[in-house]
Amino acid sequence: MDDHVEQKNIYLEDVSFTSLTDCLQNSLVMDYNSLEKVFKFPPYSSSFKPISPLNVGQIVSNPYLNLNKNSPVVSSSSNEAETKENPDDTNNGMEGNERDQHGVGESSKQLTKHGKKKGEKKEREARVAFMTKSEIDHLEDGYRWRKYGQKAVKNSLYPRSYYRCTTQKCDVKKRVERSFQDPSIVITTYEGIHNHPLPSTLRGTVAAEHLLGHGGGGRGFIYSFPRQHQELLMMNHHPEVHYQSVGSMSYEQNHGKSSYDDNNHQPVVDYGLLQDIVPSMFLKHES
DNA sequence: CGATTTTGACCTGCGC
DNA sequence: GCGCAGGTCAAAATCG
């Protein structure tokens, strides 16, 4: 399995971020499933080029992403711990979410908080993940989170923390853990969709204001994705505009059966408004 | 005093 | 069936 995963764990050594805001001002990542849903992207096509190391910023792919049952693990990581998690995450990326939703207490009640019966499959939430070089575990991303659990990770010295968005009725979660192999890297995995705008107290994040030029109102359909980047992506939503996604991307159930070429589904960047904001080094067009 | 974090217990799925 | 690992709950502790 490690054979599959070596080549993609790429990141630059010379920059570090202290927040996702920092991070995302310099790079861009989103799983394709999200892109499809939010930005009406077409299904994967062969026109997507593999990412070049030159394009990869501090954010690199995440082992939880781009996994599907029918393809070999194409994790980004050569990290043993993460790699070891991949088999699980191959499932967790799929059914794992169901576990999330049908956890402990809920199962005993036969119904989850979402009213789902035990064992009933829940549609997976979109997942977006980052690997970020940072000394700070929990990177500021503009949203408010409550930690609800922490678990030791097998074969890792570092625990994994579980957070949930504190906004009522928002069920977005995120997991934060350090790479076992490179402790300077924080792996943040977002799961779900924020159904609310950034908390007003945080909305004025310097970066967000800077990038957006306004306080921003709720769009009602916001991914667990730092706002300025969502806006950024929205701004660039254009039929012929493609996005570069850094590293691997999750490829969820509804597409899991299609031919999924690990090396050929990376969106290609076409500089649009994006280039005004995102350093071009991270938006290098490959063709 | 409300919000958040900590942490042990518990549940589920999976592999053997 | 059993053990393991991941994920969640919830009471207690801590924080602001």
Side-chain angles (χ1 to χ4, degrees):
Chain A
M1 169 177 320
D2 285 357
D3 294 343
H4 297 292
V5 303
E6 297 283 355
Q7 73 274 16
K8 282 196 160 183
N9 194 11
I10 311 161
Y11 54 88
L12 301 179
E13 296 288 352
D14 55 348
V15 210
S16 62
F17 300 109
T18 55
S19 71
L20 280 176
T21 295
D22 276 355
C23 212
L24 292 165
Q25 281 184 64
N26 294 291
S27 191
L28 174 61
V29 62
M30 195 164 195
D31 72 3
Y32 199 82
N33 194 44
S34 303
L35 289 173
E36 276 188 49
K37 286 183 184 171
V38 181
F39 305 111
K40 309 288 190 294
F41 266 48
Y44 283 123
S45 78
S46 56
S47 65
F48 296 138
K49 301 297 193 299
I51 195 165
S52 155
L54 288 175
N55 296 343
V56 181
Q58 195 58 33
I59 307 172
V60 296
S61 54
N62 181 280
Y64 299 116
L65 296 182
N66 73 38
L67 306 175
N68 70 65
K69 281 182 171 173
N70 302 324
S71 65
V73 171
V74 284
S75 163
S76 59
S77 178
S78 57
N79 177 324
E80 186 192 342
E82 292 160 358
T83 305
K84 282 219 142 192
E85 287 171 16
N86 284 333
D88 280 337
D89 281 312
T90 302
N91 293 324
N92 285 346
M94 308 297 176
E95 290 84 1
N97 291 345
E98 288 138 32
R99 271 190 246 157
D100 291 354
Q101 307 300 335
H102 300 274
V104 186
E106 293 159 343
S107 64
S108 59
K109 298 169 200 156
Q110 296 299 305
L111 289 175
T112 69
K113 289 174 182 174
H114 309 283
K116 292 246 176 196
K117 284 182 183 174
K118 179 183 179 181
E120 192 171 311
K121 299 248 174 182
K122 178 184 183 296
E123 202 170 313
R124 278 189 312 270
E125 303 282 359
R127 282 188 172 187
V128 182
F130 310 89
M131 290 177 74
T132 308
K133 202 176 190 68
S134 171
E135 292 183 7
I136 301 170
D137 284 346
H138 192 189
L139 299 171
E140 174 58 55
D141 60 6
Y143 289 93
R144 297 188 61 199
W145 302 91
R146 170 181 292 182
K147 187 175 185 177
Y148 67 88
Q150 177 171 305
K151 285 289 288 187
V153 178
K154 191 190 173 192
N155 291 326
S156 175
L157 298 172
Y158 309 96
R160 174 182 299 152
S161 296
Y162 300 87
Y163 298 87
R164 192 171 281 155
C165 182
T166 59
T167 301
Q168 282 190 341
K169 290 183 282 185
C170 180
D171 197 35
V172 175
K173 295 170 194 165
K174 78 173 178 181
R175 293 182 293 192
V176 177
E177 66 185 282
R178 283 198 173 274
S179 165
F180 169 57
Q181 205 164 58
D182 186 347
S184 65
I185 291 179
V186 176
I187 301 170
T188 305
T189 305
Y190 291 85
E191 183 178 316
I193 302 168
H194 288 288
N195 55 10
H196 58 91
L198 277 173
S200 57
T201 54
L202 295 170
R203 196 176 296 164
T205 304
V206 174
E209 292 292 353
H210 174 69
L211 288 171
L212 301 176
H214 61 75
R219 283 181 185 271
F221 190 56
I222 299 175
Y223 268 74
S224 55
F225 201 62
R227 183 175 183 78
Q228 60 269 29
H229 247 74
Q230 295 171 11
E231 294 281 352
L232 206 159
L233 286 165
M234 296 284 190
M235 289 191 328
N236 286 280
H237 180 211
H238 193 271
E240 58 268 18
V241 174
H242 303 273
Y243 299 95
Q244 171 176 5
S245 181
V246 180
S248 57
M249 297 173 286
S250 64
Y251 197 54
E252 316 255 332
Q253 190 172 40
N254 47 332
H255 296 107
K257 26 201 168 329
S258 67
S259 60
Y260 174 67
D261 184 341
D262 174 34
N263 288 322
N264 279 316
H265 61 261
Q266 303 285 352
V268 180
V269 169
D270 183 354
Y271 314 104
L273 297 171
L274 203 55
Q275 77 178 90
D276 295 334
I277 302 169
V278 180
S280 59
M281 68 172 288
F282 295 116
L283 295 174
K284 186 173 183 177
H285 195 319
E286 290 197 358
S287 58

